[in-house]
Amino acid sequence: MRTGVIGLILPPTFSFLEMMWRICPALAVGCTVVALVPPASPTPLLLAQLSGELGPFPGILNVISGPVSLVPVLASQPGIQKVAFCGALEEGRALRRSLAGECAELGLALGTESLLLLTDTADIDSAVEGVVDAAWSDRGPGGLRLLIQESVWDEAMRRLQERMGRLRSGRGLDGAVDMGARGAAACDLVQRFVREAQSQGAQVFQAGDVPSERPFYPPTLVSNLPPASPCAQVEVPWPVVVASPFRTAKEALLVANGTPRGGSASVWSERLGQALELGYGLQVGTVWINAHGLRDPSVPTGGCKESGCSWHGGPDGLYEYLRPSGTPARLSCLSKNLNYDTFGLAVPSTLPAGPEIGPSPAPPYGLFVGGRFQAPGAQSSRPIQDSSGNLHGYMAEGGAKDIRGAVEAAHQAFPGWAGQSPGARASLLWALAAALERRKSTLASRLERQGVELKAAEAEVELSARRLRAWGARAQAQGHTLQVAGLRGPVLRLREPLGVLAVVCPDEWPLLAFVSLLAPALAYGNTVVMVPSAACPLLALEVCQDMATLFPAGLANVVTGDQDHLTRCLALHQDVQAMWYFGSAQGSQFVEWASAGNLKPVWASRGCLRAWDQEAEGAGPELGLRAARTKALWLPMGD
Amino acid sequence: MSAHNRGTELDLSWISKIQVNHPAVLRRAEQIQARRTVKKEWQAAWLLKAVTFIDLTTLSGDDTSSNIQRLCCKAKYPIREDLLKALNMHDKGITTAAVCVYPARVCDAVKALKAAGCNIPVASVATGFPAGQTHLKTRLEEIRLAVEDGATEIDVVINRSLVLTGQWGALYDEIRQFRKACGEAHLKTILATGELGSLTNVYKASMIAMMAGSDFIKTSTGKETVNATFPVAIVMLRAIRDFFWKTGNKIGFKPAGGIRSAKDSLAWLSLVKEELGDEWLKPELFRIGASTLLSDIERQIYHHVTGRYAAYHDLPMS
């Protein structure tokens, strides 16, 4: 089902093609578009005029030409259902913060830097052409980080410098130019960057036939920039290439992944095995093998980490503008007086209401972190009541330290789990399903104490086991090949795990919702840190007893405690790759606001209840889409 | 004639680690044709320069002294006099770079050029052109006879079977022998790239040919199914550049076969300028092997001067 009205915000230097790739899918699925473009470019206005000539459908494409200050105004208009922002990192962050709680969804596509990895088994001359395509032509969006294997450093630098000498820059109508200019602002930015780099001891090489007037800047090659210098932390601006050496392929992966940006990268190597290993290992949205900058509307293009997680092109691009049918339109849950600094900061203490009467319940559960039950850092527990007000049990009071430990444990378990074959993951999930069925009577009796009828309780347990099996089976699907016109060779659309997924479970359906969220996350190769239902976490903790014996340590971690406090810790954690929140409306707003820290993709319920027992909402394709991220792997072929 | 390439000792490490990525080279080839275009009077100047690079060729079974004579005359006067006068280039001595014929016709060509009072060199193909599948003894004898008859440039074909079986040492030795048989004549080594199988083989064969002492490397005989294409040329030009970086010797480049239109010839000039630089845009280091190209260039020049399109019969035949 289509989303509605899309607000599209484009950066100061965008290409016509990029704009069309965002507008056309939106129109194709039935959304209407309002685009905000910088005042310097008249092309989108012409496009809007052409679309206005479609008599029966005036107003499907509207274009406003205005300055950057209009961005928050457009984004907070009541009629807009989704804002697609394309531009610089800081503006994207600010937009994310200001849109927390608004009814518009946000899709971010940030940053223009890309990466080129040159190994010693590459065709160096062709890789140099790849560098030209990436950084010194009108096709490349921004600067380039170039990683060259140490054994071919001298040769590669020599060929690069020779090639730079042949580049020509000038106005587009000249007919014999390689690249043009990107405006005065871009020119200032790159001048500052180069000055700073020089002052930190880098070597700067510039060449090429470039006019000396202001908006033109010569192609620049920076080497010997120490990685710890402040210059090396920011994005590389156009038209700079920052070159650094590496020793082995493993080191290359560490260096390449050691940056918050995750847009696109290319790997140059004639050894198939090495090229594929590097391609699969890079944490980016698009990988080209022995090519750079190839694009096609049928291939999804996007990023991960701080490059934002919105996609254009391919099936993922269409999903941006769709939402599952039957879900109601998102309501704004904005509460203007939510104090982000104090939300969830202090944990309200719970004192016992009176002397405890009745049989003593079982000893308090600890937190399930790192494969075993541990005592919480705060060394305290809180009582859990059942539906008739009696004491049901005690749960541990988890805090910030416990969250930190849980996320670390999840990260340690992640490489092993992600490296497992889909079959191995499926068998673990099936084993858990069998364990749940063996435990049916205990779980059913606990659910009864929470006020659920016996029959319904047993049905819930069976449904949970069935869901685990179903997701285990779905783990088989890895990725598929796309057909791209004009390219000889396959393009693979891979589905990769996100990393560590933080899930805050809803209060309703304490067992079913917990399992319905755990299963897809694990099936796609993620490790999880879960905060179970606040009203009755004991069911989740029962499941943990089985997980302790079946799962590798750290695969699933369950931390109980005050929901708001734990939500705060998880949302602000920079090393959590994605977050699913099914709590209150205020909590949703906080989670969206806090995700601006590392721009993690967030799925928040905004206080709406979800029918977990229905197939569409409890086990629908939306869960599978959100549990993994896409990577496009281009493999041009030919000899 | 410029000094000969004395060649170097065989060093297989120059070719052992080389890799050429075919799709990337194809992309670069498309780019060159799209990104460097010349118009108006600069185009006319480039076309005249292209004329001075042409090795006017006739390699057919039915060549006799009459069409050789016509060819040599056209080589002396490639563009019609009045068109050159209109461009103010009639006194610059614009002729083609050479005339290229089969060994049996060398005598006729030398005679015709002497009669016309023109001192452009006669190039002869040799060593079992075009397939090269004859005994080494007869191949060397062909070179010696052609040189005796008066050819000052020899276009030899390499033994493709040596490339396809990886016998680089034997290939080096053969070309060394061709070099010796040429004596003072200019040696152009035809690699027949359409039959070498992969771009990596093209690079390796180019390097071996240059190490063995060729003055020029040439893409093809013109008789294969695939002759001179941009991807192959890019690889050969990169080999020439690498050889220059290693030894300081400048080796020439000649594409042959399949170059028919003036637009193509401009693209070839851009390619050499981009990959090697302006120093290679001289007849001593760059030739184009063509026969019908000259008429198309003449028609373009006619259009530039008069603004009208010529018919083929408006311009003298070659």
Side-chain angles (χ1 to χ4, degrees):
Chain A
M1 191 168 111
R2 57 179 178 67
T3 302
V5 179
I6 312 285
L8 177 65
I9 301 168
L10 293 168
T13 52
F14 65 94
S15 70
F16 184 73
L17 206 55
E18 270 178 37
M19 179 183 70
M20 294 306 280
W21 277 346
R22 292 190 158 83
I23 292 180
C24 294
L27 294 177
V29 296
C31 306
T32 54
V33 178
V34 176
L36 177 67
V37 298
S41 48
T43 334
L45 292 166
L46 180 60
L47 189 66
Q49 185 182 1
L50 288 175
S51 78
E53 288 168 12
L54 302 168
F57 303 104
I60 58 173
L61 171 63
N62 311 281
V63 175
I64 309 172
S65 198
V68 174
S69 49
L70 283 184
V71 168
V73 174
L74 175 66
S76 45
Q77 290 294 312
I80 297 224
Q81 261 92 54
K82 180 170 178 125
V83 176
F85 177 81
C86 178
L89 178 64
E90 285 313 316
E91 286 169 27
R93 275 217 170 96
L95 192 61
R96 171 79 268 180
R97 291 204 174 100
S98 63
L99 274 185
E102 303 269 1
C103 69
E105 269 181 60
L106 182 62
L108 294 168
L110 308 170
T112 54
E113 185 191 273
S114 51
L115 177 84
L116 196 146
L117 221 134
L118 217 174
T119 64
D120 62 355
T121 53
D123 176 4
I124 301 183
D125 286 302
S126 293
V128 165
E129 292 299 326
V131 173
V132 172
D133 270 341
W136 300 317
S137 73
D138 281 331
R139 296 176 55 201
L144 181 75
R145 278 176 73 216
L146 178 59
L147 297 179
I148 307 178
Q149 194 146 14
E150 215 176 329
S151 45
V152 293
W153 174 265
D154 292 323
E155 264 206 60
M157 291 300 271
R158 181 178 193 182
R159 280 158 212 256
L160 256 179
Q161 290 172 351
E162 170 86 15
R163 181 75 180 93
M164 281 164 80
R166 305 235 186 271
L167 291 172
R168 284 194 80 221
S169 172
R171 305 201 171 282
L173 294 174
D174 182 312
V177 290
D178 291 302
M179 62 186 216
R182 301 275 172 101
C187 198
D188 287 332
L189 185 65
V190 66
Q191 271 172 351
R192 256 177 307 166
F193 182 89
V194 170
R195 261 201 305 270
E196 251 203 77
Q198 271 174 327
S199 71
Q200 279 151 22
Q203 284 170 342
V204 174
F205 178 85
Q206 292 180 333
D209 179 9
V210 181
S212 44
E213 301 115 45
R214 256 275 288 172
F216 293 103
Y217 198 81
T220 311
L221 178 64
V222 173
S223 53
N224 286 344
L225 184 65
S229 62
C231 224
Q233 312 293 326
V234 299
E235 203 177 58
V236 179
W238 167 93
V240 178
V241 171
V242 175
S244 9
F246 66 89
R247 291 167 299 170
T248 62
K250 291 196 175 33
E251 195 186 16
L253 272 183
L254 287 175
V255 175
N257 288 334
T259 147
R261 292 171 284 282
S264 55
S266 65
V267 174
W268 292 81
S269 162
E270 293 292 315
R271 293 217 318 255
L272 181 66
Q274 184 189 53
L276 286 177
E277 188 178 52
L278 289 171
Y280 273 71
L282 283 169
Q283 287 168 7
V284 288
T286 307
V287 177
W288 299 283
I289 307 283
N290 289 325
H292 198 109
L294 306 175
R295 280 182 219 285
D296 190 271
S298 61
V299 175
T301 311
C304 64
K305 297 196 278 191
E306 276 185 17
S307 292
C309 51
S310 92
W311 293 81
H312 63 272
D316 301 83
L318 284 182
Y319 283 128
E320 287 282 310
Y321 302 116
L322 298 171
R323 57 169 201 267
S325 35
T327 52
R330 280 155 68 96
L331 305 163
S332 165
C333 63
L334 181 63
S335 85
K336 296 242 185 277
N337 41 13
L338 176 63
N339 190 336
Y340 294 116
D341 294 324
T342 60
F343 176 86
L345 193 56
V347 178
S349 54
T350 47
L351 298 171
E356 290 170 14
I357 34 177
S360 174
Y365 282 100
L367 308 168
F368 182 67
V369 170
R372 56 191 184 83
F373 284 94
Q374 299 178 1
Q379 304 287 355
S380 71
S381 326
R382 72 164 61 186
I384 298 294
Q385 317 266 326
D386 68 10
S387 60
S388 39
N390 298 329
L391 186 59
H392 196 163
Y394 284 94
M395 76 166 185
E397 191 77 53
K401 271 226 190 82
D402 305 301
I403 292 286
R404 194 184 73 189
V407 173
E408 264 183 51
H411 268 293
Q412 283 196 336
F414 177 67
W417 182 239
Q420 293 268 9
S421 69
R425 285 188 228 140
S427 62
L428 265 180
L429 288 174
W430 286 338
L432 186 62
L436 266 190
E437 288 185 331
R438 281 196 298 269
R439 219 176 251 277
K440 189 152 81 163
S441 49
T442 333
L443 291 169
S445 68
R446 282 212 186 261
L447 277 170
E448 256 197 293
R449 280 190 71 173
Q450 290 299 117
V452 181
E453 256 190 29
L454 183 61
K455 275 248 173 310
E458 290 183 346
E460 189 176 333
V461 178
E462 275 168 26
L463 184 56
S464 308
R466 249 204 332 270
R467 290 254 167 97
L468 278 169
R469 291 208 173 89
W471 281 110
R474 272 179 241 177
Q476 307 290 340
Q478 263 288 350
H480 58 274
T481 319
L482 299 165
Q483 293 285 63
V484 173
L487 177 79
R488 287 188 64 220
V491 177
L492 302 178
R493 175 179 171 256
L494 305 171
R495 296 285 288 161
E496 298 196 330
L498 295 161
V500 172
L501 190 53
V503 183
V504 176
C505 300
D507 278 340
E508 69 268 19
W509 296 95
L511 176 64
L512 185 59
F514 177 80
V515 170
S516 302
L517 290 168
L518 178 74
L522 290 182
Y524 281 92
N526 304 298
T527 50
V528 289
V529 174
M530 311 208 43
V531 175
S533 145
C536 179
L538 300 171
L539 288 149
L541 293 167
E542 287 276 339
V543 180
C544 289
Q545 293 191 1
D546 287 310
M547 293 204 284
T549 46
L550 292 170
F551 282 3
L555 184 60
N557 306 282
V558 176
V559 180
T560 52
D562 178 54
Q563 199 182 64
D564 283 345
H565 180 60
L566 294 178
T567 303
R568 184 193 180 85
C569 299
L570 284 171
L572 288 175
H573 203 297
Q574 296 273 104
D575 213 4
V576 167
Q577 272 71 51
M579 183 148 182
W580 293 351
Y581 181 80
F582 291 95
S584 64
Q586 279 209 340
S588 304
Q589 183 175 343
F590 180 80
V591 163
E592 287 180 3
W593 179 88
S595 74
N598 68 341
L599 291 175
K600 52 167 99 50
V602 172
W603 183 23
S605 68
R606 294 175 158 208
C608 300
L609 296 177
R610 210 173 156 90
W612 292 99
D613 53 338
Q614 306 295 326
E615 266 308 293
E617 296 200 8
E622 188 183 8
L623 285 162
L625 275 177
R626 287 189 188 268
R629 67 179 163 84
T630 305
K631 176 192 275 184
L633 185 65
W634 293 70
L635 295 161
M637 74 180 193
D639 182 33
Chain B
M1 272 297 111
S2 46
H4 291 304
N5 170 27
R6 243 169 282 281
T8 66
E9 291 293 318
L10 177 63
D11 187 348
L12 286 176
S13 71
W14 289 8
I15 61 171
S16 57
K17 287 174 87 182
I18 203 67
Q19 305 275 0
V20 177
N21 186 276
H22 191 112
V25 173
L26 278 176
R27 257 176 269 126
R28 171 70 176 140
E30 280 165 23
Q31 230 184 48
I32 295 253
Q33 297 171 61
R35 276 201 202 158
R36 296 281 188 267
T37 50
V38 228
K39 296 286 179 206
K40 302 188 191 159
E41 58 259 39
W42 297 280
Q43 191 186 64
W46 278 48
L47 286 173
L48 284 178
K49 193 127 178 94
V51 167
T52 63
F53 295 142
I54 294 182
D55 275 1
L56 207 50
T57 310
T58 175
L59 295 169
S60 321
D62 52 1
D63 286 338
T64 57
S65 53
S66 58
N67 77 322
I68 297 285
Q69 199 180 40
R70 206 169 52 221
L71 189 83
C72 291
C73 200
K74 184 77 178 173
K76 179 151 191 238
Y77 300 109
I79 308 281
R80 233 169 61 175
E81 227 10 65
D82 56 335
L83 295 175
L84 281 182
K85 268 216 183 69
L87 293 170
N88 204 8
M89 295 293 284
H90 50 278
D91 50 356
K92 297 283 192 292
I94 294 193
T95 63
T96 64
V99 168
C100 188
V101 291
Y102 267 118
R105 299 269 75 85
V106 170
C107 285
D108 292 333
V110 168
K111 211 161 64 189
L113 281 175
K114 206 147 98 173
C118 185
N119 61 351
I120 61 180
V122 173
S124 162
V125 299
T127 67
F129 185 97
Q133 298 271 16
T134 53
H135 289 284
L136 182 59
K137 207 157 117 184
T138 45
R139 284 187 271 152
L140 292 171
E141 192 59 26
E142 256 186 66
I143 300 180
R144 284 184 213 115
L145 290 173
V147 171
E148 260 176 44
D149 279 348
T152 46
E153 299 186 0
I154 309 287
D155 289 14
V156 303
V157 283
I158 61 167
N159 193 340
R160 273 77 101 188
S161 61
L162 294 177
V163 173
L164 294 170
T165 51
Q167 298 178 54
W168 304 112
L171 182 66
Y172 175 87
D173 288 330
E174 263 197 28
I175 303 181
R176 260 247 176 272
Q177 292 186 45
F178 295 160
R179 164 87 265 166
K180 233 169 65 176
C182 280
E184 283 307 306
H186 206 67
L187 175 65
K188 290 204 200 84
T189 310
I190 303 180
L191 303 178
T193 54
E195 292 178 351
L196 290 184
S198 73
L199 290 179
T200 317
N201 275 350
V202 169
Y203 184 95
K204 293 183 182 176
S206 314
M207 265 311 202
I208 298 282
M210 290 189 283
M211 283 200 265
S214 321
D215 297 302
F216 259 67
I217 49 175
K218 183 168 157 183
T219 58
S220 42
T221 59
K223 311 284 183 199
E224 288 107 37
T225 41
V226 174
N227 289 303
T229 57
F230 286 110
V232 151
I234 289 176
V235 173
M236 289 172 70
L237 290 172
R238 286 177 181 168
I240 292 179
R241 182 201 56 200
D242 290 347
F243 188 80
F244 173 59
W245 279 351
K246 284 190 162 70
T247 63
N249 289 344
K250 291 187 184 162
I251 309 296
F253 174 67
K254 177 173 170 183
I259 306 177
R260 278 180 209 101
S261 72
K263 196 150 113 82
D264 279 345
S265 69
L266 293 177
W268 282 99
L269 261 66
S270 301
L271 177 63
V272 173
K273 191 183 163 82
E274 279 280 305
E275 290 286 323
L276 291 174
D278 287 341
E279 312 94 61
W280 259 264
L281 284 175
K282 299 196 296 254
E284 290 86 37
L285 287 175
F286 180 57
R287 298 285 178 84
I288 302 180
S291 36
T292 49
L293 175 64
L294 188 51
S295 7
D296 198 51
I297 292 186
E298 223 184 332
R299 293 175 80 215
Q300 287 296 114
I301 303 236
Y302 183 98
H303 175 246
H304 175 81
V305 168
T306 63
R308 301 191 301 271
Y309 288 106
Y312 273 110
H313 58 245
D314 282 327
L315 303 163
M317 222 175 117
S318 63

